[in-house]
Amino acid sequence: MMSHKTTNNLYPQYYKLLKTNMKKKMKKLLFIAAVFGIVACAAPKTDGYTIEGTVTGDSLTTGKVYLTNFSRTEAIKDTADLVDGKFVFEGKVVTPETYAISIDGKKGRIQLFLDNSQIKIEASVEELGKAVVTGGVTNDLVVALKKQKDEVVAKFGLDSLMKEYYKKETTEERKKEISTIYDSYQKEVKVLDSTFLATNPNSFYSLTQFNQNVEDYPIPDMEAKIAGFKALPEFTGNRFLTELEAAIVTLKGLEPGMQAPEFTLNDPSGNPVSLSSIYSQNKITMIDFWAGWCGPCRNFNPTLTGIYKQFNKAGFGIIGVSLDKDAELWNKAIKEDKLTWTQVSDLQYWDCAPAKLYHVRYIPQNIFIDQSGKIVKRKVSEEEMVPFLKEYLGVK
């Protein structure tokens, strides 16, 4: 529950999907799907989308309305006029995904999953986030899924429990109780996610989830899913499908025994440092992806410095790769956290070149490499790290 991860995804993840035998579970999943009304339906064939919106309240009748997606790599923005409380957007999306609609000068936004459908929106300017969106084929599925998850959140009283967990006065014993409750919540949400993906395997939303959680699946399974999407004309040119294919290529190169991708970045003094110049000096080297702005990274640093001191003389080295974009903050964090191992960065934030090479989608994250540059293991947890190093280095 209290995961030490900072991620670049826009929405919280609901963790790894169930790895159970889907054939044995299918009857149960289909039953749940039928109960909650998310079984896939045939999508109408349209050449594009039309969004017709009506906004009421606050005597607002005119203004500018904006339609935007959330992509950093393929940002899309459109503008429409609000006339007599109504607006219309028309266009065609190659990559259906989550969009937001906002009104100039007004707080809040309307969120929807936009595909090439006919969509209607009824909204109050005072509560744009509570707008009623109907008609979008994929959006209707996503809304139904969200409603189910909201019901699970309410069932477990998760909102209040999360606030209680982070209060200073909450005891460790109570935190353990809350974590146990959270585990039960996770299990129910995983069933909902698995149900959705099983009953809507070729929906646009399912593709976004496969792309987002690609490492939750064996590579051969994901390759089969990619082949299925590529066989459907509506996914031609879809950005998420392209990203998913690229991710599989990257992950194949990161399996144990593969040669670690080389990179060279500058240290805080501006001197270029290559990865191979570091791992060649140690029996085992950890690439530590972190950032000065990342709270979980900073919280873990005292533990990591202790592990470094414990195993450094036995042949353990670290190279820190920062996803910072502010050199001053980066250097300040190195000094404050007393990080004595080599640090490098290109100050490109989530566009950090080595982070892309190593498929880093959250931080802190690590990968261990032997003295010849071969990958030993990825994503070693805080709890696993000491036992792992003891075994690898033969330290008692």
Side-chain angles (χ1 to χ4, degrees):
M1 167 179 168
M2 312 309 152
S3 173
H4 292 294
K5 294 182 180 180
T6 297
T7 176
N8 64 332
N9 296 327
L10 290 167
Y11 301 99
Q13 295 309 301
Y14 288 100
Y15 304 85
K16 296 182 178 180
L17 298 171
L18 293 178
K19 304 286 173 67
T20 53
N21 186 309
M22 290 306 296
K23 289 184 179 179
K24 293 182 180 179
K25 295 290 184 181
M26 188 58 68
K27 289 185 179 180
K28 179 180 179 180
L29 296 179
L30 289 174
F31 171 74
I32 296 172
V35 170
F36 288 105
I38 63 170
V39 178
C41 57
K45 301 296 182 181
T46 61
D47 292 329
Y49 65 81
T50 300
I51 303 173
E52 297 180 350
T54 301
V55 183
T56 59
D58 196 32
S59 301
L60 179 72
T61 58
T62 61
K64 292 293 183 182
V65 185
Y66 306 105
L67 175 69
T68 58
N69 66 352
F70 294 94
S71 174
R72 291 186 302 111
T73 60
E74 193 177 288
I76 297 172
K77 185 172 184 177
D78 195 7
T79 304
D81 292 317
L82 183 67
V83 180
D84 295 330
K86 297 183 181 297
F87 64 87
V88 176
F89 285 102
E90 293 182 322
K92 185 174 183 178
V93 288
V94 176
T95 301
E97 60 187 310
T98 301
Y99 277 72
I101 294 175
S102 57
I103 299 175
D104 192 28
K106 300 300 177 182
K107 294 181 180 180
R109 62 190 181 192
I110 303 164
Q111 189 166 297
L112 71 156
F113 195 100
L114 180 61
D115 58 15
N116 293 309
S117 299
Q118 308 303 305
I119 297 171
K120 291 187 180 297
I121 296 175
E122 298 285 340
S124 166
V125 71
E126 289 85 8
E127 294 183 303
L128 291 177
K130 295 183 179 181
V132 177
V133 182
T134 57
V137 175
T138 308
N139 190 74
D140 285 348
L141 294 173
V142 175
V143 168
L145 179 61
K146 183 180 183 301
K147 181 180 179 182
Q148 297 167 42
K149 291 182 177 181
D150 288 345
E151 290 171 354
V152 177
V153 169
K155 172 184 174 180
F156 287 98
L158 205 61
D159 290 339
S160 60
L161 286 177
M162 291 295 289
K163 291 178 183 177
E164 181 184 354
Y165 184 94
Y166 288 107
K167 287 182 178 178
K168 291 182 179 180
E169 61 268 27
T170 303
T171 64
E172 289 301 317
E173 182 178 356
R174 178 55 179 161
K175 285 185 177 181
K176 288 181 180 179
E177 292 175 356
I178 295 174
S179 294
T180 299
I181 296 171
Y182 191 83
D183 288 343
S184 298
Y185 155 79
Q186 283 188 61
K187 290 178 181 178
E188 291 201 20
V189 167
K190 286 177 181 178
V191 171
L192 294 177
D193 281 331
S194 295
T195 300
F196 184 96
L197 296 175
T199 55
N200 301 279
N202 295 321
S203 82
F204 292 113
Y205 178 76
S206 294
L207 174 58
T208 68
Q209 297 309 293
F210 291 138
N211 183 48
Q212 198 165 294
N213 304 300
V214 58
E215 292 196 64
D216 293 349
Y217 299 86
I219 288 177
D221 290 359
M222 193 53 65
E223 288 178 324
K225 294 181 186 300
I226 289 172
F229 284 117
K230 292 182 74 172
L232 301 173
E234 58 264 38
F235 289 93
T236 301
N238 190 295
R239 183 178 72 255
F240 293 119
L241 185 53
T242 301
E243 291 176 0
L244 187 55
E245 287 188 279
I248 292 299
V249 172
T250 299
L251 292 171
K252 282 184 173 181
L254 298 177
E255 294 182 327
M258 299 297 290
Q259 189 70 25
E262 177 69 292
F263 61 81
T264 300
L265 290 183
N266 289 344
D267 65 14
S269 299
N271 301 311
V273 179
S274 67
L275 172 63
S276 56
S277 70
I278 302 299
Y279 67 62
S280 60
Q281 300 178 35
N282 306 297
K283 291 181 181 178
I284 190 165
T285 298
M286 169 181 154
I287 305 177
D288 175 37
F289 292 98
W290 75 292
W293 50 261
C294 166
C297 304
R298 303 292 298 277
N299 291 337
F300 177 58
N301 277 341
T303 299
L304 186 56
T305 56
I307 294 173
Y308 181 71
K309 290 177 182 178
Q310 182 180 353
F311 294 101
N312 179 238
K313 290 183 178 180
F316 171 52
I318 304 175
I319 177 170
V321 178
S322 166
L323 274 69
D324 278 292
K325 55 182 176 180
D326 183 327
E328 184 178 349
L329 174 60
W330 175 39
N331 284 284
K332 182 181 179 183
I334 293 171
K335 183 178 180 180
E336 288 181 349
D337 294 358
K338 299 180 174 61
L339 308 181
T340 58
W341 51 86
T342 301
Q343 297 288 338
V344 297
S345 181
D346 55 12
L347 298 176
Q348 293 299 308
Y349 198 43
W350 286 109
D351 288 325
C352 170
K356 292 184 176 181
L357 281 176
Y358 286 87
H359 196 71
V360 174
R361 293 187 172 183
Y362 65 81
I363 53 176
Q365 189 175 143
N366 59 60
I367 184 165
F368 286 79
I369 301 168
D370 70 14
Q371 197 162 17
S372 67
K374 295 292 193 299
I375 293 171
V376 178
K377 193 172 184 179
R378 297 175 62 228
K379 299 184 178 181
V380 178
S381 70
E382 179 178 343
E383 295 76 19
E384 297 172 323
M385 200 167 290
V386 168
F388 167 72
L389 288 171
K390 281 184 175 181
E391 181 179 357
Y392 190 89
L393 295 170
V395 176
K396 294 184 179 181

